[in-house]
Amino acid sequence: IQKVAYTLNDFTITVARTLQIKGREVGKFLPIVNYDLPPKPVDIAENEESKQAWRRAATDIRNKRAAEFKKSCRTRMTMEAVERFSKYERFYIPWSFDYRGRAYPIPAFLTPQDTDFGKSLIRSADESYITESGKKWLAFQVATTFGLDKETMADRLLWTTQNIPLITRVATDPIDNIGDWEGADEPWQFLAACEEYYSVVVTKERKTTGLFVATDATCSGLQILAGLARDKETARLVNVLPSERPQDAYKVVADTAKPNCPMHIQKVMDRKTVKRTVMTIPYNAKPYSNRSYIRDALLEKGIEIDKEDLTVTVQAVRDAMQKVVPGPMKVMKWIEDEVGKAIKGGAIELQWVTPSGFIVNQRIMKKEKKNVKLQLLGEIQLKIAMDKKEADINRHKAATAPNLIHSLDASLLHLSIDKFDKPIALIHDSVLTQSVDMDELSAIIRETYMHLFAEHDYLNDFAQQIGAETEPPIIGDLKPESVIDSTYFFC
């Protein structure tokens, strides 16, 4: 991934510069909005009341200016990076692995893991001639970034072909037609996709394409756990198994939990209410964080919930997870139990080797509180690692399941990239490549998942590596080779 050459996207940069001058916000693009000081009243010298009123109004404006300056920090730094890199026709991004094997770009700006605005500013420096497959994936990118990411592939492609006038307006006059694109789910990437599709597919004025197209895993934590547990029902819900349209595990959990929620919550118990909770439970999120996610989701709907009803709602969702995805829940419980035994047995750290050969070392030591006197802040309390070798059993138990999942989704991408010799970028459990290469990359990822879980019994391997005392809970009714035919595994 460090061999991939990038270049700036002149189209989106031109739009950003214009909006920067206008002080116009769009999505994550937050330029400084200038506020003028109020004019001084003519009697300010002799009228004390008038003078004080002006001072209060001027102070409010100065406070707004300070707030705008702070809020616009990332946008200003991004535009500064654009100016510095505008003299280069191509540049490269250095990457690093975290201790689980996930890849992260080292720079903070102009990378595939930037904000929606930041991502729209870069493209592949080595463009490819457009193909019929490439046209399909460009249409996919247009519809997906607009907000149709839950629709079928056919519906996304149809939406794009039915909205050529909108795409044309956005691509040819984005400033005067800003209302056509600023409300998209990912407005800046939608803007970039519209211009690419218009120039390459509609007018055919360009024969090559360099726009990166992204596909995402469906709830990757559950996809990995479904493979580990060989759990067919969970695999079906997260698109490991083929289906005519994308499956929605969040909606199924919400529908299952609904009858057990307080009556006034049932009417708003939908996928959006439970999404963050369902997404994070596979990463060992506990009821405390579940409470905040559900409370925040309900507040967005204008619903306030008291403590008792929130407790009932959270428990309903967690109980629904036990019914809907039993395999993953049993695996997580087994991991927590076995890790507890290992640490109690004297282990200081856990180590496992992923299928790609990456060695994960999980070392979490107990910390103690120390009072430290600082020159400016006075006496404060800090947590520091203890010198003696004492593992933190509770944090080990909480961290192992999510770290195992992260290491395996990273391993899936390691092995996939090893077979793919085209421009590619990664965002945790998402892959990006040029539209003309996405068919090939999608097939490789499905084949790799199949080999990862069909030809290897990795949960038993993991059990041996951490010295588990009991056998892992493998349901065993999933045939991972079925993923080969799944359109929506990464989509």
Side-chain angles (χ1 to χ4, degrees):
I1 56 178
Q2 294 187 140
K3 294 180 180 179
V4 176
Y6 295 84
T7 192
L8 294 178
N9 188 326
D10 291 334
F11 175 73
T12 51
I13 288 171
T14 300
V15 174
R17 284 172 174 158
T18 303
L19 295 182
Q20 187 175 34
I21 293 170
K22 292 176 175 288
R24 180 68 155 81
E25 298 180 3
V26 176
K28 295 296 184 181
F29 178 78
L30 303 171
I32 294 178
V33 178
N34 291 312
Y35 296 97
D36 294 329
L37 287 173
K40 291 184 178 181
V42 293
D43 60 346
I44 192 171
E46 60 275 1
N47 188 330
E48 186 64 25
E49 186 176 334
S50 179
K51 179 180 180 180
Q52 292 302 321
W54 179 84
R55 282 184 171 178
R56 285 193 294 269
T59 298
D60 288 342
I61 293 299
R62 291 190 181 99
N63 289 339
K64 282 186 176 181
R65 285 178 174 178
E68 287 293 335
F69 188 80
K70 182 178 179 180
K71 185 173 72 171
S72 68
C73 179
R74 184 168 185 89
T75 296
R76 288 185 286 109
M77 293 177 75
T78 299
M79 295 304 290
E80 172 65 20
V82 165
E83 297 309 318
R84 292 191 181 197
F85 279 78
S86 59
K87 60 185 176 182
Y88 300 108
E89 292 185 3
R90 58 201 293 124
F91 59 90
Y92 299 84
I93 296 174
W95 294 69
S96 67
F97 288 127
D98 72 1
Y99 72 99
R100 302 158 304 184
R102 275 193 165 185
Y104 294 86
I106 294 173
F109 304 99
L110 302 181
T111 78
Q113 291 187 19
D114 207 334
T115 63
D116 166 58
F117 170 59
K119 293 175 193 174
S120 75
L121 302 176
I122 57 175
R123 54 190 288 123
S124 174
D126 299 311
E127 300 203 357
S128 301
Y129 283 99
I130 192 64
T131 62
E132 289 304 313
S133 171
K135 293 176 183 177
K136 175 192 74 173
W137 284 105
L138 283 180
F140 164 91
Q141 181 74 358
V142 171
T144 301
T145 54
F146 183 77
L148 279 73
D149 56 315
K150 300 297 179 292
E151 302 301 322
T152 66
M153 180 69 79
D155 286 344
R156 296 188 219 189
L157 302 187
L158 179 62
W159 185 91
T160 298
T161 57
Q162 289 178 338
N163 284 275
I164 298 299
L166 180 147
I167 293 168
T168 300
R169 291 195 302 272
V170 172
T172 57
D173 192 359
I175 301 300
D176 286 342
N177 293 295
I178 195 169
D180 284 333
W181 60 276
E182 67 175 343
D185 273 8
E186 298 172 291
W188 286 93
Q189 290 179 84
F190 175 66
L191 173 69
C194 283
E195 194 279 332
E196 192 83 358
Y197 189 82
Y198 175 78
S199 299
V200 175
V201 180
V202 178
T203 66
K204 300 180 176 63
E205 63 186 57
R206 291 204 304 265
K207 305 298 182 185
T208 61
T209 178
L211 186 77
F212 280 99
V213 172
T215 59
D216 298 334
T218 304
C219 201
S220 65
L222 288 176
Q223 285 183 337
I224 296 295
L225 288 168
L228 289 173
R230 302 282 180 95
D231 181 354
K232 182 178 180 180
E233 183 57 26
T234 299
R236 182 184 66 80
L237 287 174
V238 291
N239 297 308
V240 172
L241 297 180
S243 59
E244 293 183 1
R245 60 180 303 110
Q247 297 298 303
D248 193 343
Y250 306 121
K251 183 178 184 302
V252 174
V253 172
D255 291 344
T256 304
K258 184 182 295 186
N260 299 313
C261 293
M263 191 63 67
H264 70 287
I265 299 299
Q266 292 184 16
K267 61 183 179 181
V268 291
M269 180 53 61
D270 57 18
R271 73 180 311 276
K272 191 171 183 180
T273 301
V274 305
K275 182 176 179 180
R276 289 192 71 187
T277 299
V278 174
M279 188 185 299
T280 55
I281 283 178
Y283 299 104
N284 226 0
K286 299 302 182 185
Y288 179 79
S289 60
N290 300 159
R291 292 173 69 88
S292 63
Y293 293 151
I294 290 177
R295 185 193 298 111
D296 291 346
L298 291 174
L299 283 175
E300 288 181 11
K301 299 173 183 288
I303 305 293
E304 291 193 15
I305 185 170
D306 62 35
K307 189 179 295 186
E308 291 183 5
D309 285 348
L310 182 58
T311 299
V312 172
T313 303
V314 168
Q315 191 58 51
V317 174
R318 294 185 72 89
D319 290 345
M321 290 284 286
Q322 294 286 354
K323 295 177 182 177
V324 174
V325 289
M329 299 300 285
K330 289 177 182 177
V331 168
M332 287 190 296
K333 180 66 167 59
W334 172 84
I335 290 174
E336 192 169 306
D337 290 345
E338 292 301 327
V339 167
K341 293 175 189 176
I343 301 301
K344 285 180 181 178
I348 294 175
E349 64 180 20
L350 299 177
Q351 183 183 93
W352 63 90
V353 181
T354 72
S356 65
F358 193 93
I359 301 173
V360 180
N361 288 292
Q362 180 176 287
R363 183 182 178 88
I364 307 174
M365 309 306 290
K366 274 194 173 181
K367 296 181 179 180
E368 64 177 353
K369 295 177 181 178
K370 290 282 188 181
N371 289 332
V372 180
K373 287 187 178 180
L374 303 178
Q375 225 171 346
L376 294 178
L377 300 178
E379 187 170 304
I380 64 171
Q381 197 172 70
L382 298 176
K383 280 188 176 181
I384 62 173
M386 295 175 68
D387 290 332
K388 61 182 182 180
K389 296 181 178 180
E390 187 175 350
D392 190 324
I393 185 170
N394 291 327
R395 291 175 62 213
H396 265 292
K397 288 167 67 175
T400 305
N403 284 339
L404 175 62
I405 292 169
H406 288 322
S407 70
L408 289 176
D409 66 35
S411 189
L412 171 65
L413 297 185
H414 296 170
L415 295 168
S416 298
I417 291 174
D418 200 40
K419 306 170 189 173
F420 185 75
D421 191 24
K422 307 285 174 58
I424 187 172
L426 308 176
I427 309 176
H428 309 320
D429 55 0
S430 173
V431 290
L432 301 87
T433 190
Q434 294 182 35
S435 59
V436 298
D437 300 318
M438 186 54 83
D439 273 348
E440 179 186 350
L441 180 57
S442 295
I444 287 174
I445 288 175
R446 292 195 300 271
E447 289 171 4
T448 304
Y449 181 94
M450 178 192 74
H451 293 306
L452 204 61
F453 294 108
E455 297 178 1
H456 304 279
D457 187 359
Y458 187 76
L459 194 54
N460 275 314
D461 292 344
F462 175 76
Q464 292 178 6
Q465 293 182 71
I466 67 168
E469 297 177 8
T470 61
E471 293 185 358
I474 298 174
I475 292 179
D477 59 359
L478 170 66
K479 295 181 179 178
E481 55 267 29
S482 303
V483 75
I484 290 293
D485 300 317
S486 175
T487 301
Y488 300 106
F489 179 57
F490 266 65
C491 192

